[in-house]
Amino acid sequence: MNVVCMGETLIDFVCTDQNTSMADSTHFIKKSGGAPANVAACIAKLGGSSLFAGAVGHDPFGDSLINELTQYGVKTEFIKRSLKPTTMAFISLMADGERDFVFNRGADSDFDLTQTQINQLLDNAILHLGAATALLGDTLYQTYLKTAQTAKHNQQLISFDPNYRVDLWPNRLAEFIEKSLEFIKLADMVKVSEEELELLTGQSDLAKGCDQLHELGVKIITVTIGAKGCYLSTVAQKSIIPAYQITPIDTTGAGDAFIGALLFQLAQQPTSDYQTLSEYVLFANKVSGLVCEHYGPMTGLNDYQTIIKTTRALKQ
């Protein structure tokens, strides 16, 4: 089954002066990024079928993004070109690999599809919506909503990741919550961080927060909890799936690699069995952890056999 990943692809300029604020950063390296593009690259690298749908500029950065996605094996026929410059993000890193973002938004906001194109896009597909910029409005948001509503009508699996970035929502937190919940109500599976779960539900308790989202119709919830791993929740069962021991360099794209690895497995063998889902999440934790040992969200991606052969201690 194909996994369609819709949203932004962009250029990440990652500061290599670790533990330095953005204001004091000097040295940057160019990396391909964008949450849904990262997910698509992960799925294709693992050996699955993925397609990225979004917009880039008519510029060398747009060329670079399309070329790299193609090299990973991602289908790119639904990438459109905009007269706006390709979207960029500048990222500075702390000693623990955590990040500070500055966005320069451009072409991704212009993505648009007709209903006929949406129907073609969703043929025999899982839909993943990675929402870092998509909820901000513009044409991309309208396309996002039409596509999600069509997939829901078709009873296709919908995955949603709100990808909250504080720099994108200054004084607009209520709007972010409202729009995220709009898509959560359409989704079968939701991936959030601890911070996002509390923002969306007002609950600091993981179980209570997840139950609140389950009441909206979500069947599977994964809450990434950093070095502890992932909290996996269904209506019937909940538990922490442990992480793998890593030495983080850059956590950019870790969550995207996680959801990519999870969707890769669900596309191969759909399931609602909790034990099987736990095994899927354990594998996804490994994929995500290995990404954190490299600069850039795509650099540390590996093929399926390499991941399987990699042995690390579980972090209890």
Tab-separated table of all heavy atoms in Angstrom, residues 12 16 36 40 51 59 61 76 87 98 162 168 179 181 186 197 199-200 207 219 245 261 271 279 282 284 314:
chain	number	residue	atom	x	y	z
A	12	ASP	N	16.547	22.832	5.432
A	12	ASP	CA	17.014	23.094	6.793
A	12	ASP	C	18.456	23.580	6.728
A	12	ASP	O	19.326	22.887	6.176
A	12	ASP	CB	16.975	21.817	7.641
A	12	ASP	CG	15.581	21.439	8.090
A	12	ASP	OD1	14.775	22.348	8.345
A	12	ASP	OD2	15.301	20.228	8.193
A	16	THR	N	26.102	24.155	13.018
A	16	THR	CA	27.025	23.158	13.574
A	16	THR	C	27.760	23.667	14.805
A	16	THR	O	28.564	22.942	15.387
A	16	THR	CB	28.046	22.715	12.503
A	16	THR	OG1	28.731	23.867	12.017
A	16	THR	CG2	27.343	21.999	11.363
A	36	PRO	N	6.542	16.197	6.609
A	36	PRO	CA	5.973	15.114	5.785
A	36	PRO	C	6.947	14.567	4.749
A	36	PRO	O	6.887	13.380	4.398
A	36	PRO	CB	4.761	15.774	5.117
A	36	PRO	CG	5.014	17.233	5.208
A	36	PRO	CD	5.821	17.460	6.439
A	40	ALA	N	8.082	10.630	4.303
A	40	ALA	CA	8.088	9.927	3.015
A	40	ALA	C	9.453	9.316	2.729
A	40	ALA	O	9.548	8.176	2.243
A	40	ALA	CB	7.689	10.893	1.901
A	51	LEU	N	4.775	8.606	-1.345
A	51	LEU	CA	4.637	9.730	-2.266
A	51	LEU	C	4.579	11.008	-1.454
A	51	LEU	O	3.880	11.070	-0.437
A	51	LEU	CB	3.372	9.574	-3.112
A	51	LEU	CG	3.048	10.665	-4.140
A	51	LEU	CD1	2.282	10.070	-5.311
A	51	LEU	CD2	2.241	11.804	-3.517
A	59	ASP	N	13.568	27.279	-8.089
A	59	ASP	CA	14.898	27.736	-7.701
A	59	ASP	C	15.778	26.517	-7.425
A	59	ASP	O	15.290	25.377	-7.394
A	59	ASP	CB	14.832	28.664	-6.479
A	59	ASP	CG	14.075	28.069	-5.295
A	59	ASP	OD1	14.131	26.843	-5.110
A	59	ASP	OD2	13.444	28.833	-4.535
A	61	PHE	N	17.034	25.435	-4.724
A	61	PHE	CA	16.637	24.713	-3.523
A	61	PHE	C	15.477	23.760	-3.825
A	61	PHE	O	15.434	22.632	-3.324
A	61	PHE	CB	16.239	25.685	-2.412
A	61	PHE	CG	17.391	26.477	-1.860
A	61	PHE	CD1	17.245	27.824	-1.584
A	61	PHE	CD2	18.618	25.890	-1.610
A	61	PHE	CE1	18.300	28.564	-1.066
A	61	PHE	CE2	19.681	26.612	-1.097
A	61	PHE	CZ	19.523	27.961	-0.820
A	76	THR	N	7.423	11.662	-6.685
A	76	THR	CA	7.380	13.124	-6.623
A	76	THR	C	6.461	13.756	-7.668
A	76	THR	O	6.505	14.967	-7.866
A	76	THR	CB	8.800	13.702	-6.787
A	76	THR	OG1	9.333	13.278	-8.058
A	76	THR	CG2	9.722	13.245	-5.675
A	87	THR	N	10.636	27.242	0.737
A	87	THR	CA	10.618	27.490	2.187
A	87	THR	C	11.926	27.026	2.824
A	87	THR	O	12.504	26.002	2.445
A	87	THR	CB	9.418	26.757	2.815
A	87	THR	OG1	8.222	27.242	2.211
A	87	THR	CG2	9.363	26.973	4.315
A	98	GLU	N	18.519	19.242	21.262
A	98	GLU	CA	17.268	19.984	21.104
A	98	GLU	C	17.499	21.237	20.273
A	98	GLU	O	18.624	21.717	20.136
A	98	GLU	CB	16.674	20.325	22.473
A	98	GLU	CG	16.093	19.116	23.187
A	98	GLU	CD	15.023	18.404	22.368
A	98	GLU	OE1	14.139	19.079	21.795
A	98	GLU	OE2	15.066	17.168	22.301
A	162	PRO	N	0.576	17.009	14.496
A	162	PRO	CA	0.423	18.465	14.496
A	162	PRO	C	1.726	19.241	14.366
A	162	PRO	O	1.715	20.399	13.931
A	162	PRO	CB	-0.263	18.752	15.833
A	162	PRO	CG	0.065	17.575	16.690
A	162	PRO	CD	0.141	16.404	15.766
A	168	LEU	N	6.063	29.493	14.804
A	168	LEU	CA	5.060	29.644	13.753
A	168	LEU	C	3.716	30.150	14.272
A	168	LEU	O	2.859	30.555	13.491
A	168	LEU	CB	4.849	28.307	13.035
A	168	LEU	CG	6.006	27.780	12.188
A	168	LEU	CD1	5.651	26.419	11.617
A	168	LEU	CD2	6.344	28.748	11.074
A	179	LYS	N	-7.445	24.203	15.062
A	179	LYS	CA	-7.200	23.567	13.768
A	179	LYS	C	-6.656	22.147	13.926
A	179	LYS	O	-6.995	21.252	13.148
A	179	LYS	CB	-6.250	24.428	12.943
A	179	LYS	CG	-6.906	25.695	12.419
A	179	LYS	CD	-5.983	26.475	11.510
A	179	LYS	CE	-6.706	27.660	10.879
A	179	LYS	NZ	-5.811	28.453	10.006
A	181	LEU	N	-7.345	20.058	16.380
A	181	LEU	CA	-8.461	19.204	16.778
A	181	LEU	C	-9.384	18.917	15.601
A	181	LEU	O	-9.987	17.830	15.520
A	181	LEU	CB	-9.239	19.852	17.922
A	181	LEU	CG	-8.494	19.929	19.259
A	181	LEU	CD1	-9.319	20.691	20.285
A	181	LEU	CD2	-8.141	18.541	19.784
A	186	LEU	N	-10.694	13.738	12.361
A	186	LEU	CA	-10.723	12.978	11.117
A	186	LEU	C	-9.750	11.800	11.119
A	186	LEU	O	-9.864	10.903	10.283
A	186	LEU	CB	-10.380	13.891	9.936
A	186	LEU	CG	-11.359	15.040	9.642
A	186	LEU	CD1	-10.753	15.991	8.600
A	186	LEU	CD2	-12.692	14.499	9.152
A	197	LEU	N	0.533	17.028	23.468
A	197	LEU	CA	-0.624	16.389	24.103
A	197	LEU	C	-1.217	17.300	25.170
A	197	LEU	O	-2.441	17.466	25.249
A	197	LEU	CB	-0.217	15.048	24.719
A	197	LEU	CG	-1.361	14.251	25.358
A	197	LEU	CD1	-2.382	13.827	24.307
A	197	LEU	CD2	-0.820	13.034	26.107
A	199	LEU	N	-0.858	20.621	25.346
A	199	LEU	CA	-1.423	21.796	24.689
A	199	LEU	C	-2.830	21.514	24.152
A	199	LEU	O	-3.731	22.344	24.262
A	199	LEU	CB	-0.526	22.237	23.525
A	199	LEU	CG	0.750	23.000	23.852
A	199	LEU	CD1	1.541	23.252	22.569
A	199	LEU	CD2	0.441	24.318	24.536
A	200	LEU	N	-2.999	20.334	23.570
A	200	LEU	CA	-4.254	20.005	22.895
A	200	LEU	C	-5.363	19.574	23.842
A	200	LEU	O	-6.549	19.731	23.525
A	200	LEU	CB	-4.014	18.899	21.869
A	200	LEU	CG	-3.128	19.274	20.677
A	200	LEU	CD1	-2.756	18.042	19.872
A	200	LEU	CD2	-3.818	20.304	19.798
A	207	ALA	N	-2.225	9.334	30.248
A	207	ALA	CA	-3.405	8.487	30.055
A	207	ALA	C	-4.666	9.336	29.889
A	207	ALA	O	-5.488	9.086	28.996
A	207	ALA	CB	-3.557	7.528	31.230
A	219	LYS	N	-8.091	6.101	17.074
A	219	LYS	CA	-7.934	4.712	17.502
A	219	LYS	C	-6.557	4.434	18.109
A	219	LYS	O	-6.428	3.694	19.080
A	219	LYS	CB	-8.181	3.773	16.310
A	219	LYS	CG	-9.576	3.882	15.714
A	219	LYS	CD	-9.721	2.956	14.519
A	219	LYS	CE	-11.107	3.075	13.890
A	219	LYS	NZ	-11.328	4.392	13.267
A	245	GLN	N	19.373	3.190	23.394
A	245	GLN	CA	20.487	4.027	23.838
A	245	GLN	C	21.133	4.710	22.638
A	245	GLN	O	21.521	4.035	21.681
A	245	GLN	CB	21.536	3.168	24.563
A	245	GLN	CG	21.069	2.576	25.887
A	245	GLN	CD	21.147	3.568	27.040
A	245	GLN	OE1	21.422	4.738	26.855
A	245	GLN	NE2	20.890	3.077	28.247
A	261	ALA	N	8.562	5.078	10.166
A	261	ALA	CA	8.798	3.654	10.407
A	261	ALA	C	7.514	2.938	10.821
A	261	ALA	O	7.277	1.786	10.445
A	261	ALA	CB	9.866	3.483	11.481
A	271	THR	N	-2.825	-3.513	11.241
A	271	THR	CA	-3.217	-4.249	12.445
A	271	THR	C	-3.821	-3.303	13.462
A	271	THR	O	-3.524	-2.105	13.461
A	271	THR	CB	-2.000	-4.972	13.062
A	271	THR	OG1	-2.447	-5.804	14.141
A	271	THR	CG2	-0.995	-3.971	13.614
A	279	GLU	N	5.256	-3.934	18.964
A	279	GLU	CA	6.453	-4.350	18.224
A	279	GLU	C	6.773	-3.340	17.123
A	279	GLU	O	7.944	-3.020	16.884
A	279	GLU	CB	6.240	-5.746	17.645
A	279	GLU	CG	6.133	-6.824	18.714
A	279	GLU	CD	5.671	-8.162	18.163
A	279	GLU	OE1	5.472	-8.254	16.921
A	279	GLU	OE2	5.488	-9.105	18.955
A	282	LEU	N	8.351	-0.353	18.817
A	282	LEU	CA	9.721	-0.648	19.233
A	282	LEU	C	10.688	-0.476	18.067
A	282	LEU	O	11.767	0.118	18.206
A	282	LEU	CB	9.793	-2.074	19.784
A	282	LEU	CG	11.086	-2.472	20.503
A	282	LEU	CD1	11.280	-1.653	21.768
A	282	LEU	CD2	11.064	-3.963	20.841
A	284	ALA	N	10.092	1.398	15.412
A	284	ALA	CA	10.088	2.820	15.092
A	284	ALA	C	10.984	3.612	16.041
A	284	ALA	O	11.646	4.577	15.625
A	284	ALA	CB	8.659	3.359	15.131
A	314	LEU	N	18.066	-1.372	25.234
A	314	LEU	CA	16.853	-0.606	25.502
A	314	LEU	C	17.120	0.335	26.661
A	314	LEU	O	17.802	-0.001	27.618
A	314	LEU	CB	15.713	-1.556	25.864
A	314	LEU	CG	15.164	-2.440	24.751
A	314	LEU	CD1	14.151	-3.411	25.320
A	314	LEU	CD2	14.544	-1.599	23.664
